[in-house]
């Protein structure tokens, strides 16, 4: 294998390579605590929410846009979900995706019909939805009853199963349907996609609804895991989710990508966080290392795109 | 294709009506007038050459007929009935297929995907919403189309950005003529092709016309013009400067009109 081949291999399978590296490093440094069935179960449990939310953003990034609002959408839909648990019980779960989908539709409508860059629209929504969450909750967590069927969504292995089903369904949507094909086409060259008769606006609008639905679903799961709807939950989560997508091999320039990659990318981020906690590394250092991993992953994967322009 | 045929049969069949008739077509971009008051008829079974200097408005005309954008004013008739070609889909439904000057290929999709883009064969789980691609069928069809046209591509699964300029041009042409078209527009289709490949495109153009397709052929190559067109329309700075039968004119006269805008 030449250096070029190694580079290509690395950039294509960067998420898998990173996952193996993380598991090896912590497996060697702390075999008795990292590589236990119990701990790996915790990693999967923590990965579920990130994976679900990152799947939604994957479509947007493949289509060449961005969604910065998912952390706030998660918090708002999680809080509304919590408020509905007393009356709806387990059925309150559906509130998260509904609220998230509605906010995603607002993002999409302003982006597509208002012709405002997605970066700006969703940056605004990040702030708006966070503010609404604080107003809605009065600044304090929205408690849910001590015993409720609703807790099942946060109890292992349910979050993991939800994430796994999401990966399968959305992976199939990306690879086997016209919707996935059109998303790729738009990420490749939006103007040409339009000239060829692809319903560009509809596809772009739907990307944001999908992202909202998955952020809302993440919010529901998180509310069940935490036992309340917190006004501060999910702050900075958009960066974790975008990192998971990028480490998973979907470049921010769009036009290509993979849902399974996103799932593995989520696993990388959460194993790293878990390993660092086990090693007793301070939270601030964890944040630094997560950023470093992201940048290194992008450096390795960006070669593949043979990008001529870096924006 | 059944939609096209159904739609075509609903339109009045006046045998003498041109396939497409443009009347007073004008296109403005702010202060710039790209096309002004163009009248033009294109009949089935003929190759109409559209000529003009760089920036004369040829590609603008192509975009108007292909539904990429709408004229500022003027009307169009298809087979004698008024039409508004408001979208690329509408153009397709009238049986109008285009090889764009920039080819309009999606670089990050495979060859087979590009041939069917926007008009995929699907198995619809939820109509209009969840449509599963029949990839095998489309790949088989794509291979068949390329074989018929004698186009050689290493693999149908390779992305278009990995192909040569000539191969891309061939794919764009194959995409336009694989649908049973009523009208085919070729905007400088031979620009990137070798001489044998150019000849293949010229032969193909005549073949389309002999099958009753209306062909709009745009080129800067005078040899091609004399060889392939039945009639010629010359644009000069957005206006129609001349319209003539190829057999009743000479290369020299055509060049003169293109350069001066006068007969
Ligand atoms: N989208 C657009 N916005 C503004 N002006 C445009 C646009 N498209 C074309 N024009 C202008 O319209 C005029 C005609 O351009 P057009 O592309 O139709 O020329 P052309 O005859 O195809 O030339 P060429 O032989 O170089 O391809 C040019 O002056 C061009 O700058
Ligand atoms: Mg042109």
């Amino acid at each position: 294998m030449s250096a070029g081949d190694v580079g290509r291999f690395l950039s294509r399978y960067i998420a898998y390579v990173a996952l193996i590296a993380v598991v090896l490093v912590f497996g060697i440094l702390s075999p008795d605590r990292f590589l236990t069935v119990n701990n790996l179960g915790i990693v999967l449990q923590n990965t579920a929410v990130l994976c679900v939310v990152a799947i939604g953003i994957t479509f947007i990034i493949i289509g060449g846009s961005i969604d910065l609002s998912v952390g706030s959408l998660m918090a708002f839909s999680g809080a509304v979900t919590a408020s509905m648990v007393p009356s709806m019980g387990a059925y309150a779960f559906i509130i998260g995706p509904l609220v998230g989908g509605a906010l995603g539709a607002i993002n999409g409508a302003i982006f597509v019909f208002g012709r405002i860059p997605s970066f700006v629209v969703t940056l605004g929504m990040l702030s708006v939805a966070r503010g609404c969450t604080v107003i809605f909750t009065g600044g304090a967590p929205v408690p849910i009853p001590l015993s409720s069927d609703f807790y099942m969504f946060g109890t292992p292995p349910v979050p993991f199963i939800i994430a796994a089903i999401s990966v399968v369904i959305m992976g199939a949507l990306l690879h086997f349907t016209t919707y996935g094909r059109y998303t790729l086409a738009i990420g490749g060259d939006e103007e040409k996609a339009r000239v060829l008769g692809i319903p560009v606006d509809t596809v772009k609008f739907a990307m944001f609804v999908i992202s909202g639905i998955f952020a809302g679903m993440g919010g529901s799961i998180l509310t069940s895991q935490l036992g309340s709807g917190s006004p501060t939950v999910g702050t900075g989560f958009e960066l974790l989710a975008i990192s998971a997508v990028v480490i998973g091999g979907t470049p921010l320039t769009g036009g290509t990508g993979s849902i399974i990659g996103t799932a593995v990318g989520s696993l990388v981020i959460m194993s790293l966080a878990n390993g660092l906690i086990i090693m007793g590394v301070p939270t601030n250092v964890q944040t630094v290392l997560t950023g470093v991993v992201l940048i290194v992953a992008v450096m390795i994967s960006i070669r593949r795109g043979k990008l001529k322009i870096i924006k | 294709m059944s939609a096209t045929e159904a739609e075509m049969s609903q339109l009045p069949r006046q045998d003498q009506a041109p396939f497409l008739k443009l009347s007073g077509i004008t296109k403005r971009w702010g202060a710039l007038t790209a096309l002004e008051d163009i009248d033009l008829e294109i009949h089935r079974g003929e190759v109409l050459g559209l000529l003009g200097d760089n920036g004369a408005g040829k590609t603008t005309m192509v975009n108007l007929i292909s539904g990429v954008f709408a004229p500022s004013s003027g009307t169009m008739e298809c087979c004698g009935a008024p039409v508004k070609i408001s979208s690329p889909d509408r153009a397709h439904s009238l049986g109008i297929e285009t090889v764009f000057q920039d080819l309009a290929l999606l670089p990050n999709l495979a060859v087979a995907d590009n041939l069917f883009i926007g008009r995929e064969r699907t198995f619809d789980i939820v109509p209009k919403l969840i449509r599963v691609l029949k990839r095998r069928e489309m790949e088989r069809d794509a291979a068949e189309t390329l074989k018929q046209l004698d186009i050689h591509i290493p693999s149908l699964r390779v992305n278009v950005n990995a192909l040569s300029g000539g191969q891309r041009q061939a794919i764009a042409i194959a995409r336009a003529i694989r649908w049973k078209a009523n009208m085919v527009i070729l905007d400088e289709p031979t620009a990137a092709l070798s001489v044998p490949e150019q000849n293949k495109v010229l032969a193909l153009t005549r073949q389309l016309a002999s099958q009753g397709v209306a062909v709009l052929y745009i080129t800067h190559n005078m040899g091609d013009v004399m060889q392939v067109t039945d009639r010629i329309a010359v644009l000069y700075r957005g206006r129609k400067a001349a319209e003539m039968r190829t057999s009743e004119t000479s290369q020299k006269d055509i060049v003169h009109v293109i350069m001066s805008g006068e007969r």
Side-chain angles (χ1 to χ4, degrees):
Chain A
M1 278 212 303
S2 72
D5 288 339
V6 174
R8 221 165 296 138
F9 177 85
L10 266 183
S11 65
R12 176 143 195 196
Y13 297 106
I14 179 69
Y16 301 88
V17 174
L19 183 60
I20 292 168
V22 168
V23 171
L24 275 182
V25 168
F26 291 117
I28 291 166
L29 289 178
S30 185
D32 49 335
R33 287 198 293 156
F34 184 76
L35 283 182
T36 63
V37 173
N38 203 2
N39 187 52
L40 294 182
I42 292 172
V43 171
L44 287 183
Q45 175 76 355
N46 292 343
T47 302
V49 172
L50 178 60
C51 179
V52 164
V53 176
I55 285 172
I57 304 192
T58 307
F59 276 82
I60 292 187
I61 295 182
I62 291 175
S65 305
I66 192 82
D67 186 350
L68 299 173
S69 68
V70 288
S72 301
L73 295 199
M74 233 170 91
F76 185 70
S77 45
V80 178
T81 303
S83 75
M84 298 303 283
V85 172
S87 55
M88 292 177 74
Y91 293 108
F93 183 82
I94 194 70
I95 297 297
L98 283 179
V99 172
L103 293 179
I106 295 175
N107 275 339
I110 298 175
F111 168 52
V112 174
F113 305 111
R115 301 179 63 78
I116 295 173
S118 58
F119 184 92
V120 176
V121 173
T122 59
L123 189 62
M125 181 59 92
L126 179 151
S127 189
V128 169
R130 179 64 62 187
C132 289
T133 314
V134 175
I135 293 167
F136 181 80
T137 60
V142 181
I144 54 181
L146 282 177
S147 82
S148 165
D149 291 346
F150 183 74
Y151 282 108
M152 69 188 243
F153 296 106
T155 312
V158 176
F160 174 76
I161 292 172
I162 294 174
I165 292 174
S166 304
V167 168
V168 171
I169 291 179
M170 299 312 278
L173 190 70
L174 178 62
H175 292 290
F176 301 126
T177 71
T178 50
Y179 185 77
R181 184 61 49 80
Y182 294 170
T183 305
L184 287 162
I186 291 169
D189 191 327
E190 185 173 325
E191 273 323 300
K192 285 181 183 157
R194 212 180 276 278
V195 163
L196 293 168
I198 290 174
V200 172
D201 290 343
T202 314
V203 172
K204 279 166 53 174
F205 176 74
M207 293 190 310
F208 282 85
V209 177
I210 289 174
S211 178
I213 288 172
F214 278 87
M217 191 142 76
S220 279
I221 299 172
L222 207 56
T223 295
S224 179
Q225 285 176 335
L226 298 174
S228 68
S230 153
T232 54
V233 80
T235 308
F237 204 77
E238 54 283 335
L239 288 184
L240 280 187
I242 292 168
S243 305
V245 174
V246 172
I247 292 172
T250 302
L252 285 174
T253 40
T256 175
S258 132
I259 300 292
I260 292 177
T262 294
V264 178
S266 310
L267 209 46
V268 170
I269 289 180
M270 284 309 181
S271 335
L272 182 69
N274 173 277
L276 293 172
I277 290 170
I278 284 182
M279 302 291 301
V281 174
T283 329
N284 292 334
V285 179
Q286 284 177 38
T287 313
V288 171
L289 284 177
T290 310
V292 170
V293 167
L294 172 67
I295 293 172
V296 171
V298 172
M299 278 168 63
I300 295 174
S301 65
I302 212 163
R303 258 189 240 158
R304 161 191 40 185
K306 290 179 215 122
L307 293 175
K308 296 182 188 81
I309 309 165
I310 309 286
K311 304 193 244 201
Chain B
M1 280 304 93
S2 55
T4 305
E5 275 149 22
E7 203 168 345
M8 293 310 307
S9 61
Q10 286 165 13
L11 297 170
R13 278 225 170 272
Q14 303 168 14
D15 274 333
Q16 290 312 310
F19 176 73
L20 195 68
K21 180 175 172 186
L22 313 181
S23 311
I25 291 289
T26 299
K27 179 67 190 178
R28 290 196 186 85
W29 307 100
L32 187 139
T33 304
L35 284 177
E36 191 160 11
D37 199 20
I38 303 285
D39 296 330
L40 200 62
E41 291 184 1
I42 304 164
H43 296 262
R44 285 166 163 275
E46 76 166 348
V47 178
L48 174 65
L50 186 62
L51 310 181
D53 206 352
N54 292 126
K58 305 181 294 296
T59 297
T60 303
M61 179 92 95
V62 171
N63 286 332
L64 291 173
I65 300 174
S66 310
V68 175
F69 43 64
S72 309
S73 62
T75 57
M76 298 192 200
E77 284 174 29
C78 184
C79 304
V83 285
K84 279 216 157 51
I85 307 178
S86 49
S87 69
D89 267 349
R90 181 74 187 120
H92 293 158
S93 77
L94 292 169
I96 299 173
E97 298 291 336
T98 308
V99 178
F100 290 95
Q101 188 171 12
D102 72 357
L103 305 183
L105 295 171
L106 290 160
N108 60 327
L109 295 188
V111 171
D113 301 337
N114 264 285
L115 285 178
F116 284 90
I117 192 72
R119 288 179 277 179
E120 291 82 358
R121 298 257 170 76
T122 56
F123 161 78
D124 295 3
I125 296 181
V126 182
K128 295 201 158 184
L129 213 57
I130 303 182
R131 306 171 57 215
V132 178
L133 301 163
K134 294 183 177 171
R135 294 167 112 180
R136 287 271 169 70
E137 195 180 307
M138 288 191 285
E139 275 179 13
R140 228 184 304 120
D141 256 48
E144 184 67 20
T145 303
L146 296 189
K147 196 170 147 217
Q148 276 172 12
L149 294 172
D150 198 23
I151 297 170
H152 303 284
I153 304 290
S155 159
L156 290 176
R157 296 198 172 170
V158 70
N159 285 352
V160 162
N161 59 10
L163 298 182
S164 78
Q167 286 170 329
R168 290 182 204 194
Q169 196 132 32
I171 300 297
I173 294 171
R175 177 175 62 196
I177 65 173
R178 74 169 311 287
W179 314 96
K180 292 199 177 44
N182 297 313
M183 173 170 175
V184 170
I185 305 172
L186 301 150
D187 195 349
E188 302 194 31
T190 58
L193 299 182
S194 68
V195 172
E197 297 297 314
Q198 287 181 20
N199 289 334
K200 263 173 24 189
V201 172
L202 295 180
L204 194 68
T205 305
R206 284 309 330 169
Q207 190 190 332
L208 284 171
S210 70
Q211 288 163 356
V213 176
V215 182
L216 186 64
Y217 194 99
I218 295 164
T219 182
H220 291 291
N221 182 324
M222 283 304 135
D224 288 4
V225 172
M226 301 312 290
Q227 197 179 334
V228 84
T229 64
D230 299 305
R231 282 194 310 130
I232 297 164
V234 180
L235 295 180
Y236 183 80
R237 298 187 184 168
R239 287 182 162 275
K240 191 173 80 179
E243 204 177 332
M244 46 214 172
R245 301 216 144 268
T246 312
S247 56
E248 293 164 5
T249 184
S250 70
Q251 201 160 317
K252 205 170 129 249
D253 291 346
I254 299 171
V255 173
H256 176 74
V257 184
I258 292 173
M259 302 305 291
S260 67
E262 285 159 24
R263 301 213 53 167

